[in-house]
Amino acid sequence: MAIYSQEFKVQSVEKALSKRDEQTLHDIADNLHIGYSTLQRWIRLAKENKLENPETNMSTEKSPQSWTKAQRLEAVMDCHGLNDEHLSSYCRENGIYPHHVQEWKSDFLSEHQASNSTSRQEQKKLKQENKRLQKELNRKDRALSETAALLVLSKKCQAIWGETEVD
């Protein structure tokens, strides 16, 4: 949102009020590179003598883009479950629009899903590593069982036939 000087506002209103018949307020607003509704508001304020000496300062509300992540999350949680009327009321009080809340909610959900996909990738790697280690353990277990069986058989053979060990 552009911030215009008081002089620019006064000159714009003077130009709009002294327009020629063939000119429209839309044309003047376009030439000044301001919105039509902005020009109309300035004219209304000038007619009420509030343009040059504004009674209220500009809002100190922060723009939706300057809200912190924590403030955005709080707004999303505050708006959860509100009907459209209450949501609009909440948004007006806080200087935001309902689409900002929806956008923030989508951002949080997409971040959550991205972290879930990262977590899923890690889980997949861990499962693969576990499977590999399990195969290795089974292989070593079979080898140990075979070695133990051979040792038992060799001892039984010695006991039965009385053979001596060959060096």
Side-chain angles (χ1 to χ4, degrees), residues 148-166:
L150 288 173
L151 183 62
V152 168
L153 282 175
S154 69
K155 286 189 178 186
K156 282 187 178 182
C157 285
Q158 283 179 353
I160 293 175
W161 289 299
E163 294 179 10
T164 60
E165 289 185 20
V166 179

Side-chain angles (χ1 to χ4, degrees), residues 87-132:
L87 175 64
S88 296
S89 174
Y90 175 88
C91 290
R92 278 192 304 275
E93 290 171 7
N94 291 286
I96 57 175
Y97 288 99
H99 73 270
H100 290 126
V101 176
Q102 293 299 325
E103 183 179 310
W104 296 340
K105 183 178 180 181
S106 299
D107 290 345
F108 282 115
L109 290 175
S110 66
E111 286 176 14
H112 179 68
Q113 289 171 349
S115 68
N116 278 348
S117 66
T118 304
S119 177
R120 287 183 185 144
Q121 289 174 348
E122 291 173 5
Q123 284 179 348
K124 187 176 180 180
K125 286 180 183 179
L126 288 173
K127 283 181 181 179
Q128 289 173 344
E129 179 70 13
N130 189 14
K131 191 174 182 179
R132 185 186 64 78

